[in-house]
Amino acid sequence: MSKNTIIFSSSLGKKFVMSLTGLFLCSFLIVHLGGNIALFTSKDTFNEYTKFMTSNPLIRFMEIILVLGFLTHIVDAILLYIRNKNASNTKYIFDKKKSSISSRSMALTGSFILFFLIVHLRSFWYEYKFGEVIYSEDSNGNQIKDMYHIVTSSFESPMYSLFYVSAVILLGIHLNHGFQSAFLSLGLRHKKYTPFISLIGKLFSFSITLGFISFPIYFCLKNFNLW
Amino acid sequence: MVDVIKSNIPEGELSKKWTNYKSSANLVNPSNRRNLDIIVVGSGLAGASAAASLGEMGYNVKCFCFQDSPRRAHSIAAQGGINAAKNYQNDGDSVGRLFYDTIKGGDYRSREANVYRLAEVSVNIIDQCVAQGVPFAREYGGLLDNRSFGGVQVQRTFYAKGQTGQQLLLGAYQALSRQISKGSVKMYNRHEMMDIVILDGKARGIVARNLLTGEISRHSSHAVILASGGYGNVFYLSTNAMGSNCSATWKAHKRGALFGNPCFVQIHPTCIPVSGEYQSKLTLMSESLRNDGRIWVPKKLEDAKRISLGEISPSDIIEENRDYYLERRYPSFGNLTPRDVASRAAKERCDAGFGVNLSGQAVFLDFKDSIKRYGKEVIESRYGNLFQMYEKITADNPYKIPMKIYPAIHYTMGGLWVDYDLQTNISGLFAAGEANFSDHGANRLGASALMQGLADGYFVLPYTVSNYLANDIQTGKISVESKEFSETEIKVKDRINYFLKNNGSKSVDYFHRKLGKIIWENCGMSRNKEDLNSAIEQLKTIKDDFWRNVKVTGRNNHLNQELEKAGRVADFIELGSLMCHDALNRNESCGGHFREEYQTEDGEALRNDETFSYVSAWKYNDENLSPKLFKENLIFKNIELKQRSYK
Amino acid sequence: MNLKLKVWRQESSKHKGKIVEYKVHDISPDMSFLEMMDQLNQSLIEKGQDPVAFDHDCREGICGSCSMYINGQPHGPENMITTCQLHMRSFNDGETVYIEPWRASTFPIIKDLVVDRSAFDKIIQAGGYISVNTSGNSQDANAIPIPKENADSAFDAATCIGCGACVATCKNSSAMLFTAAKISHLSNLPQGQVESSSRVISMVNKMDELGFGNCTNTGDCAVQCPKGISLDNIAKMNREYLKASLKSEK
């Protein structure tokens, strides 16, 4: 192994990678949530936003980084999981942990989020790129793909919405531990600031959860003409 | 006619002896050192520091401990601190003063030259430990803090909260670990030394048992260092660890090494009292508590009775009705009198019926006044962990209710007799730390055990062992195939088989408890001729009963803790008898040895310098014969013998 | 009081273990947990059975020998104490008490409740020391003043007793808290600075090599540590490691 990569292959190196990619993915969530707010405005705004996001070169470049970020986070998680399972191969007959459930279920919540991510990409990204998409007119009269329609029709299914909501809640649980844990892994812990970071972490995971849940709820209410 | 033995003290002025010794001792050249093997038994402060230092010098060192790691040796439990004549507090301390205090504290029964050397190297210990990263307590200015301790009037005790022993041991353990990683020390964890092998009158190796597999192995060496600790567990209930034992030193004794002052044991005044029959060990509360706590019992017998029955609380007793007996009897030292004096005073009050618990064996250690003076925070910062420990054990909160304490056996000043080189009368067999008869005379001052253990291991043995080994550079590797090794191994195996095959009916603990009770009652805080004679007889019966009826379950070839205990208790029984013989021989009261026949009118110890100013060194005789006494006369040239007074 | 004990019995690392049930009677609430075990063992010996093997030595909470997983927690239900400091007043009459050994692949079971923790020694041997030879000529202990708060944090980290409760309770059997405590102890002191980079790298590598799991910052270790070693030490180790590996020219 090259000496430069030792830092990444060691246990602590893997922790750094997990935390850096994790925090990067957190920033993605903010952008993603921010963009999705366009769903609340109008069909055209959202579709134009989608068009921008899928065509701007800088965004396309970031997309590659994002994919790499996801892959690294996932591969690293799997490697860590295997290592940890090997280290603790026998279980107690009677065990009482005192730590939070969210901290102990990162692999579980993470796996579910991965599964959701695949479904999510299939239903939106794949549909948009390769599916039979309806076109609509933008404000300038150009034909653009109607992403808004894909979203609304997905959320018409109560099962899908339920799946979406539960995945987002699990994401929230994942973030609840992940956010502050990332700081600890990077060695950023301080008597004065750590409580503040924990608070930010809680607020962040809570707002992300609430933010993403708001979309299926919005469309559900709309379907029943309650909005 | 009693034989007199010599201690090989170098010539010259007291303060120059060690310097002269160092500059004239024989040396071994570095390239020869790697051909010389040294065995160290024990990994406490003395053992770990000796093994690390000798390994560092380039000798081939093998170190043995019965615990699963050298870090668990019982030195780790020392709480209070370590003395050194640094005079950082500018209160008049000096090497001479520490020397004087130690000799006086030991009731003039220690060897001047050794004690002076101890005081001299004490300052190096602190430097060495700080360099190793031992986190001693510091003041806000960043310099080292000191506290005072019983028996002295200067502040010379360095400490790390209530865990000084732990921090010093970890320092030595880390130094040892460094040598292990370098390959200069080979560590044998979970190995017990079963016997010493003597070849042509020289200690040339040991036979050890692997406690996990039962495998018996032979190890040869050019010198053997025993740093296996004291024998306090002869009392069954003591502040020693459960595994602390006398077997290594006792085996050496049976092979011909003299045992010095076995009756000098230290009873520590501040331990948590016994709570029931099931009790397996006693917990010490650091002596440092006496800095701020005041010791008392009620003045009126009926108050003591009502407190012990739980009818009234200690706080119901008004000031006038409290007897702060140490302050009353010893106004100048008060609660800080030396350990033996404080212990006996507690026993005196309790024997008179003033004990404050159901067994009548407890006195109060009260922090009320200090909390009032300094506030709870200050007391908490000084003793927080000790108070917490006390509360966990007794379920009483010492911030509100005074602690109950009672003396318990804590340290043994006696041990293998050694000369100035820390060498026993067997060539090549050295003893260090609590295992030797040491520099503490008849009583050890607080915070001096850590000092002695490290002094022996870091600063004395590297010189004296080299001095001895300088004559051995031609010897070459010592074979383990010799007749002596085989015979020793067979003897060891026979004994193990005896235990396992002996289909007795009583557990090892049964005998240990019985032994402990006999020794505590007859050879404990106070002794008399009649009791000691009776104890010797009782011990004969116990020994007989033990070998006939002891029951050891399990097999040899796996972890068998009962088998380990059986071997240790067998040795304790024999040692107990030697203690009684020694106590019987010493017709005086001094330090930890208090003979009821020899006391002043107001109950203070009455020393007899005329007749007993010697170290009694006992030689093992045959199984059924009494031990033979040798004497090392103590000559005091630099200190005037006085009746010890703390009044 | 009377208790029902469910104790893990295992002949050796090669044998399979199982829970065996024992009943103990007339237990005093003032007894320590290990004294209760002594009582059980005495009754087993009387019956000619093999007593339960368990590690113990000082019985005052400092040697770090005792290592029992009691009712699902290392060192039992109380915080900040070791098994030997646990007293029977923490249990109720008639209660069932599960007693298991530490479980981690790096701590193989030797017999019953005794495990092999020599991996901890190996981590210290990898660099948990300051390389200073014994000499009567070290500089004066007061030559370098050390700010009290640094000395205090070094001390707090150094109070680790190496019992292994952190590894035992960690769902990943990670030894981060143990390793971090030593790294943090030494790097808080000026004397430990010289080797701080090589120390953290070789100790972490040794820990990995021995097969300990990774840290997922659940914090169980710090909660269960009988000496209250804080997670701050792990953060400090992470910082030291990051610094050392970035700086390293190797």
Side-chain angles (χ1 to χ4, degrees), chain C residues 186-205:
Chain C
L186 298 174
S187 68
N188 265 315
L189 299 170
Q191 291 84 359
Q193 287 304 318
V194 181
E195 294 167 289
S196 67
S197 296
S198 58
R199 175 183 307 120
V200 67
I201 291 192
S202 59
M203 285 178 79
V204 168
N205 288 349

Side-chain angles (χ1 to χ4, degrees), chain B residues 342-609:
Chain B
S343 294
R344 257 195 317 275
K347 180 174 162 32
E348 189 272 327
R349 282 293 81 190
C350 291
D351 286 351
F354 293 95
V356 293
N357 71 355
L358 275 180
S359 67
Q361 299 197 328
V363 298
F364 288 125
L365 177 60
D366 200 336
F367 290 87
K368 190 185 61 161
D369 294 337
S370 304
I371 290 174
K372 210 184 278 169
R373 187 176 324 131
Y374 304 113
K376 192 182 167 213
E377 287 70 34
V378 174
I379 296 301
E380 195 174 348
S381 73
R382 286 184 192 166
Y383 311 111
N385 60 332
L386 296 170
F387 278 34
Q388 183 205 6
M389 184 161 101
Y390 180 85
E391 191 174 356
K392 292 279 181 202
I393 293 173
T394 62
D396 280 345
N397 177 351
Y399 293 104
K400 294 192 179 126
I401 309 168
M403 282 183 179
K404 283 183 193 143
I405 52 159
Y406 198 67
I409 176 71
H410 169 61
Y411 184 88
T412 53
M413 281 76 71
L416 289 179
W417 180 89
V418 288
D419 64 7
Y420 188 74
D421 285 10
L422 303 184
Q423 185 167 217
T424 65
N425 55 311
I426 298 176
S427 290
L429 180 65
F430 295 79
E434 196 180 346
N436 69 26
F437 89 104
S438 90
D439 309 335
H440 307 298
N443 174 53
R444 179 176 65 77
L445 289 179
S448 283
L450 302 183
M451 170 172 71
Q452 185 226 337
L454 290 179
D456 289 359
Y458 281 136
F459 298 113
V460 180
L461 287 174
Y463 291 96
T464 62
V465 170
S466 295
N467 182 48
Y468 170 78
L469 289 176
N471 299 318
D472 243 347
I473 48 176
Q474 304 281 347
T475 311
K477 192 97 194 143
I478 293 160
S479 160
V480 294
E481 301 305 327
S482 61
K483 186 173 84 182
E484 286 82 353
F485 267 100
S486 319
E487 281 172 3
T488 312
E489 182 178 329
I490 289 168
K491 207 176 134 210
V492 166
K493 284 183 170 162
D494 283 351
R495 182 150 124 147
I496 290 169
N497 289 334
Y498 180 90
F499 283 133
L500 292 170
K501 289 205 179 109
N502 191 39
N503 203 10
S505 54
K506 294 167 188 161
S507 72
V508 179
D509 278 5
Y510 164 86
F511 292 102
H512 200 173
R513 275 174 208 269
K514 256 188 133 164
L515 165 72
K517 204 158 182 290
I518 292 173
I519 304 286
W520 178 246
E521 283 170 0
N522 303 296
C523 198
M525 264 189 283
S526 72
R527 298 129 183 215
N528 63 56
K529 188 175 174 185
E530 199 184 332
D531 287 354
L532 288 166
N533 275 321
S534 130
I536 291 171
E537 289 311 308
Q538 289 179 60
L539 290 174
K540 278 184 191 152
T541 321
I542 291 219
K543 185 174 170 184
D544 193 50
D545 191 19
F546 175 84
W547 285 99
R548 237 185 265 264
N549 292 317
V550 72
K551 177 178 192 164
V552 178
T553 51
R555 306 185 312 267
N556 176 40
N557 61 355
H558 70 166
L559 179 64
N560 188 339
Q561 293 167 323
E562 284 302 304
L563 180 60
E564 294 165 27
K565 278 197 283 188
R568 294 168 191 168
V569 171
D571 295 337
F572 276 135
I573 296 174
E574 296 181 0
L575 174 87
S577 173
L578 181 66
M579 283 172 67
C580 296
H581 277 287
D582 187 36
L584 201 53
N585 166 68
R586 197 167 276 280
N587 288 321
E588 63 161 351
S589 293
C590 66
H593 171 65
F594 188 78
R595 280 282 299 268
E596 288 157 13
E597 301 94 320
Y598 308 97
Q599 52 180 315
T600 62
E601 271 170 18
D602 48 359
E604 301 298 331
L606 194 61
R607 226 175 53 225
N608 180 351
D609 294 329

Side-chain angles (χ1 to χ4, degrees), chain A residues 100-112:
Chain A
S100 68
I101 297 199
S102 73
S103 71
R104 275 182 282 128
S105 52
M106 291 302 275
L108 203 68
T109 49
S111 314
F112 193 85

